[in-house]
Amino acid sequence: MSSVYAVFNAKTAELLSHHQVEIQQKFPKEGWVEQDPKEILKSVHECVERTCEKLQQLNIDITNIKAIGVSNQRETTVVWDKTTGEPLYNAIVWLDLRTQSTVERLLKRIPGNNKSFFKFRTGLPLSTYFSAVKLRWLLDNVEEIRQAVDDGRAMFGTIDSWLIWCLTGGKNGGVHCTDVTNASRTMLFNIHSLDWDPELCQFFDIPMEILPKVRSSSEIYGLMVCLFVCKSGALTGVPISGCLGDQSAALVGQMCFQDGQSVFSDHGLLTTIAYKLGRDKPVCYALEGSVAIAGAVVRWLRDNLGIVKTSQEVEKLAAEAGTSYGCYFVPAFSGLYAPYWEPSARGIICGLTQFTNKNHIAFAALEAVCFQTREILDAMNKDCGIPLSQLQVDGGMTNNKVLMQLQSDILCIPVVKPSMPETTALGAAMAAGAAEGVGIWSLNPGDLTAVTCERFEPQINPEESEYRYARWKKAVMKSMGWETSEAPSNGDTSIFCSLPLGFFIMSSMIMLIGAKYVSG
């Protein structure tokens, strides 16, 4: 697990430099995934210090830094003591499965055990994925948190809330807030009224006084009061003015600024808030398909099976194979998310023969990422009735050209990759720089810098693509029904997730402080 920063040119959006610091993730039981909130904060401090040093090497004065933005894993849940500034428990990560019994207990209180009962208000099905059930688990199982709530000392938030509170003073007047994109992933937020929903809070039995104030994604929330000192000076008093969940930040980074309406999916997708770029700006909505395990499958081959020493080797093995030879890999390590929402599923590799080797498994792992993407896009096409003409992609996995070509082949449409793949970082930077009172980045379409792209065109015929996709769907069906909440479990689980943490905007440069978490 590591904390990452990158330096951008604000005028051209060019990625100039990047750096990372290793941090840990915890797997206390099978299906449990935790992070230490203090370690996350420490990694931000360290990244800022190293960044200041690198900026000095580039002859850039850190007093030119004009604003700070934050992007984060949206559902990861933290509760802390506002009087001491200490977390009351480790952060429960979005992939964590410990709350399955909580979900089942809550379902019994819903007419017809309907997981979608609150979907009109929240856009979300009842699932282990979202923050409300994680918070309910913490209140049910952690005495320190129950006591802090009773004493009026507890604060809840996703990682953005924790960081902003700490960076703006913590127990000495820190700002307790979140933005609409993060709030919309809690199951406590009404995506129409744009506020916490009293009836939802009552259903989950969550005291509303511990919730952060909900703000737009682009406005000044408070000033940085944490002091970062390096040879070139100290960083303090800079406004924190951008806050977006990671997927929403990627939307902004991809410059998806056409207004979206609130559409409710009949095919397993989520209705979520895309962004609200200013206090007086309209809210934009998005349909989202969430896949639990994508890039993690590559790291699983490396860290758990040991068939490669580096993630880059998977691309080489897959290229040598050129086919999975009938092998299909469903990486349902944490169940299946969209479009199935099936927590009982577990990972399987099927279609093995004596001819199958590690090259074929590597190929099947990359195909699994592409098949999951196709399932999401098929659902979107059914909900919207507008077939996708091309797929815009971003993130670290887009450096894998075999994967990009496979994705185009399986979708039967072009895949377009920006030359700067970390668009999540770029999006949070844009939101912070565009905030009222900062105003160093224009989001007007005519002012946006054109992004250079690499394009991948389909190279197989549609019939072959459909055959492989049908076989994948057959494998998915076989992965379901493996687990129940009553089944005993022990041991550890290994999961990968990504968490960009913060973005520092200067008059001519952008600096990203972020994190990518890899189990080890």
Side-chain angles (χ1 to χ4, degrees):
M1 186 168 65
S2 61
S3 180
V4 181
Y5 84 82
V7 179
F8 297 88
N9 183 306
K11 293 182 179 179
T12 65
E14 179 187 0
L15 177 62
L16 299 179
S17 182
H18 59 90
H19 179 74
Q20 68 182 40
V21 176
E22 293 297 320
I23 51 179
Q24 284 188 332
Q25 237 184 154
K26 302 176 187 297
F27 307 96
K29 295 182 181 180
E30 183 180 355
W32 291 33
V33 192
E34 300 177 358
Q35 297 164 352
D36 181 350
K38 293 178 70 175
E39 188 173 357
I40 294 172
L41 181 63
K42 181 181 177 181
S43 75
V44 173
H45 290 186
E46 185 171 352
C47 280
V48 172
E49 291 171 3
R50 299 288 83 80
T51 298
C52 288
E53 293 173 2
K54 185 155 287 188
L55 291 176
Q56 184 183 29
Q57 294 172 7
L58 296 170
N59 296 317
I60 297 171
D61 188 344
I62 67 167
T63 61
N64 289 330
I65 294 173
K66 301 302 180 186
I68 299 165
V70 174
S71 182
N72 60 289
Q73 298 170 339
R74 297 164 298 179
E75 299 83 9
T76 298
T77 298
V78 189
V79 180
W80 66 94
D81 187 323
K82 66 182 178 183
T83 62
T84 65
E86 294 292 313
L88 294 167
Y89 194 81
N90 280 333
I92 300 182
V93 176
W94 62 278
L95 276 173
D96 188 282
L97 292 177
R98 76 186 70 185
T99 56
Q100 184 55 40
S101 60
T102 304
V103 169
E104 292 174 2
R105 186 176 75 248
L106 291 168
L107 268 176
K108 292 177 181 177
R109 296 171 49 198
I110 296 175
N113 291 346
N114 182 7
K115 290 182 180 180
S116 299
F117 187 74
F118 297 118
K119 202 168 184 180
F120 178 76
R121 297 189 196 195
T122 66
L124 312 173
L126 185 60
S127 167
T128 60
Y129 187 13
F130 306 110
S131 305
V133 292
K134 302 179 194 303
L135 182 53
R136 183 66 261 154
W137 186 93
L138 288 168
L139 290 167
D140 289 339
N141 293 277
V142 182
E143 175 60 32
E144 292 86 347
I145 290 179
R146 285 199 299 271
Q147 189 62 54
V149 169
D150 291 342
D151 295 344
R153 295 180 286 111
M155 283 183 166
F156 154 79
T158 41
I159 295 296
D160 58 303
S161 298
W162 163 247
L163 289 177
I164 292 173
W165 186 80
C166 290
L167 296 175
T168 56
K171 63 182 179 180
N172 299 313
V175 177
H176 187 211
C177 71
T178 188
D179 89 303
V180 291
T181 68
N182 283 290
S184 72
R185 311 296 290 198
T186 61
M187 287 207 80
L188 302 173
F189 186 75
N190 189 308
I191 62 174
H192 307 290
S193 67
L194 302 182
D195 207 348
W196 302 118
D197 190 304
E199 293 184 8
L200 289 171
C201 292
Q202 183 178 14
F203 174 80
F204 288 102
D205 196 15
I206 303 298
M208 295 185 71
E209 59 269 19
I210 73 174
L211 304 178
K213 180 177 176 60
V214 183
R215 312 277 287 271
S216 78
S217 308
S218 180
E219 62 177 275
I220 295 176
Y221 313 111
L223 302 180
M224 168 82 84
V225 298
C226 297
L227 194 64
F228 298 102
V229 181
C230 63
K231 294 180 181 178
S232 59
L235 176 60
T236 190
V238 180
I240 299 177
S241 56
C243 182
L244 288 152
D246 48 7
Q247 308 298 344
S248 292
L251 270 181
V252 174
Q254 291 275 16
M255 303 180 189
C256 300
F257 293 129
Q258 290 185 350
D259 290 345
Q261 299 300 315
S262 180
V263 175
F264 290 93
S265 175
D266 294 321
H267 300 92
L269 302 181
L270 309 178
T271 301
T272 195
I273 293 181
Y275 44 74
K276 187 177 188 295
L277 296 174
R279 284 178 292 183
D280 301 323
K281 300 292 185 181
V283 64
C284 291
Y285 296 89
L287 274 179
E288 177 180 323
S290 300
V291 173
I293 301 293
V297 71
V298 173
R299 289 160 183 83
W300 184 81
L301 293 178
R302 182 192 68 191
D303 299 339
N304 292 47
L305 290 193
I307 68 173
V308 293
K309 293 182 179 179
T310 67
S311 298
Q312 291 72 26
E313 286 182 51
V314 173
E315 180 178 8
K316 181 181 178 183
L317 293 181
E320 290 175 357
T323 175
S324 69
Y325 203 77
C327 173
Y328 288 86
F329 190 165
V330 182
F333 302 151
S334 300
L336 291 168
Y337 283 11
Y340 301 101
W341 298 104
E342 182 50 69
S344 71
R346 287 297 180 270
I348 64 169
I349 301 175
C350 57
L352 300 175
T353 70
Q354 285 184 312
F355 182 74
T356 307
N357 59 36
K358 64 181 181 179
N359 296 24
H360 301 123
I361 293 174
F363 192 97
L366 297 186
E367 269 195 322
V369 176
C370 303
F371 287 134
Q372 290 179 98
T373 302
R374 169 148 180 194
E375 288 184 315
I376 298 301
L377 295 183
D378 281 358
M380 286 190 173
N381 288 340
K382 292 173 183 175
D383 281 325
C384 298
I386 305 172
L388 196 69
S389 59
Q390 66 180 29
L391 178 68
Q392 293 175 237
V393 298
D394 62 80
M397 286 199 78
T398 62
N399 293 319
N400 186 322
K401 293 191 174 184
V402 172
L403 176 66
M404 294 297 95
Q405 186 57 58
L406 273 174
Q407 188 69 83
S408 179
D409 290 344
I410 289 168
L411 295 178
C412 300
I413 59 173
V415 168
V416 179
K417 168 197 166 186
S419 57
M420 197 287 291
E422 297 299 337
T423 52
T424 300
L426 178 61
M430 292 165 66
E436 182 180 356
V438 179
I440 60 172
W441 199 310
S442 172
L443 298 183
N444 294 326
D447 297 330
L448 297 173
T449 303
V451 177
T452 57
C453 297
E454 185 175 1
R455 190 177 179 91
F456 297 84
E457 300 281 351
Q459 293 183 355
I460 66 173
N461 62 58
E463 290 76 16
E464 181 181 349
S465 176
E466 290 299 325
Y467 174 78
R468 286 156 61 176
Y469 184 47
R471 300 272 284 184
W472 155 264
K473 299 282 277 188
K474 184 177 180 180
V476 168
M477 292 300 107
K478 293 183 181 297
S479 76
M480 294 184 184
W482 283 89
E483 293 293 337
T484 66
S485 60
E486 291 79 17
S489 62
N490 52 62
D492 294 337
T493 185
S494 181
I495 296 174
F496 167 84
C497 47
S498 173
L499 169 57
L501 288 179
F503 307 82
F504 288 65
I505 293 62
M506 298 164 281
S507 56
S508 60
M509 310 291 292
I510 309 271
M511 178 177 73
L512 154 70
I513 304 296
K516 288 192 182 293
Y517 294 108
V518 183
S519 64

